[in-house]
Amino acid sequence: MKRREHILVVSLALFNSEGEANLSAVDIANELDISPGNLYYHFKGKEEIVSELYEKFEAGFELLLQDGMETGAGLEEYWLYLYVTLEHIHNFRFFFRNITDLLQKYQSIEPRFRRLMEKQSRWVRQLLTGLLEEGVIVHPHLAAERVERLTDSIMLLFTYWYQFQNLRNRKLDQHDFIQSAILQIMTLLAPYMGDQQLQFMEACLNLYQREKQG
């Protein structure tokens, strides 16, 4: 692994475990067992490291959104897409530890993140509309306004689920973080599902509980 890439890998692990705000470039250099000057040869400070990590996060998320636009609207496909999206978020979870403060601190990232959220919102809205058209969601009064509200609720979960769990001092591993978020999203959809879809959701919940106990 090239030194620059190694710095990014180690920085991401440190930011995820300790929080970006609690670390300096010197801390990163110490973890790498190199001099600060050696670190600055590759990156002109922590801000440049954070910016490049965001590039990686954004690029991966863009690919997921592109795949999501092409996927079917069945509940199983929805579940799988939610899983890989939340997995990506968990891999870069330091961004979501206190996202408002981070975006204020790194203002070059803020407009790009907002655009990314808008793209994701459009996908969630499209997915909900597809579920409605295919009869997965069968509620007769799920008008456009309610679809918009459901979209906002799901986006809140995507954006703040990690911070919510962190504030409650719940140190979830990747599996529990992903599954708990998915089940929360499915709970939002439950009132709009028919009996068959509710049975599917209950089966997923039972599977999650068995995995958790095992």
Side-chain angles (χ1 to χ4, degrees):
M1 186 184 299
K2 293 182 179 179
R3 175 57 61 87
R4 184 180 179 88
E5 186 64 26
H6 183 55
I7 290 171
L8 290 173
V9 169
V10 171
S11 297
L12 178 59
L14 281 174
F15 290 158
N16 281 341
S17 61
E18 305 295 333
E20 171 275 333
N22 299 321
L23 295 163
S24 67
V26 174
D27 293 322
I28 296 169
N30 288 338
E31 182 69 19
L32 288 159
D33 197 23
I34 62 175
S35 69
N38 197 338
L39 179 68
Y40 291 136
Y41 175 79
H42 297 279
F43 295 96
K44 305 307 179 186
K46 189 176 73 169
E47 181 173 353
E48 194 171 313
I49 294 174
V50 172
S51 294
E52 190 146 338
L53 286 174
Y54 179 77
E55 292 273 358
K56 290 180 175 295
F57 169 77
E58 184 180 67
F61 214 95
E62 290 276 10
L63 285 174
L64 286 171
L65 285 173
Q66 182 178 342
D67 290 344
M69 291 292 185
E70 297 169 358
T71 193
L75 204 55
E76 292 85 352
E77 290 87 350
Y78 188 32
W79 180 281
L80 178 60
Y81 179 78
L82 289 175
Y83 191 97
V84 295
T85 301
L86 287 161
E87 183 178 46
H88 189 64
I89 287 172
H90 189 268
N91 288 340
F92 290 86
R93 58 193 175 276
F94 82 91
F95 281 120
F96 299 88
R97 191 184 188 108
N98 194 335
I99 194 165
T100 303
D101 287 350
L102 187 139
L103 292 178
Q104 288 177 348
K105 186 175 181 180
Y106 300 99
Q107 294 185 7
S108 63
I109 292 175
E110 181 179 10
R112 297 173 61 179
F113 186 78
R114 291 184 187 278
R115 287 195 295 271
L116 197 62
M117 283 187 65
E118 286 304 314
K119 288 182 181 179
Q120 189 182 15
S121 292
R122 287 197 294 272
W123 177 81
V124 172
R125 198 177 300 112
Q126 172 185 305
L127 192 283
L128 290 173
T129 302
L131 291 174
L132 187 62
E133 290 173 351
E134 293 193 12
V136 176
I137 295 176
V138 295
H139 197 283
H141 304 299
L142 190 59
E145 183 181 353
R146 292 195 183 184
V147 168
E148 196 65 32
R149 289 178 183 173
L150 263 178
T151 298
D152 285 347
S153 295
I154 291 170
M155 287 300 300
L156 275 169
L157 275 161
F158 272 123
T159 310
Y160 292 106
W161 189 247
Y162 180 75
Q163 185 173 345
F164 173 69
Q165 297 296 346
N166 197 48
L167 285 170
R168 300 183 74 182
N169 202 29
R170 291 179 175 174
K171 307 300 182 184
L172 302 181
D173 61 20
Q174 185 186 68
H175 173 78
D176 283 341
F177 169 79
I178 293 170
Q179 294 289 11
S180 61
I182 290 175
L183 289 170
Q184 195 68 28
I185 291 172
M186 302 302 277
T187 300
L188 288 171
L189 296 179
Y192 306 101
M193 293 180 180
D195 292 340
Q196 184 177 356
Q197 308 305 334
L198 283 173
Q199 288 171 9
F200 172 80
M201 180 181 171
E202 288 172 3
C204 292
L205 178 59
N206 291 334
L207 177 61
Y208 169 64
Q209 293 296 342
R210 287 199 301 272
E211 291 177 350
K212 189 174 182 180
Q213 291 168 5

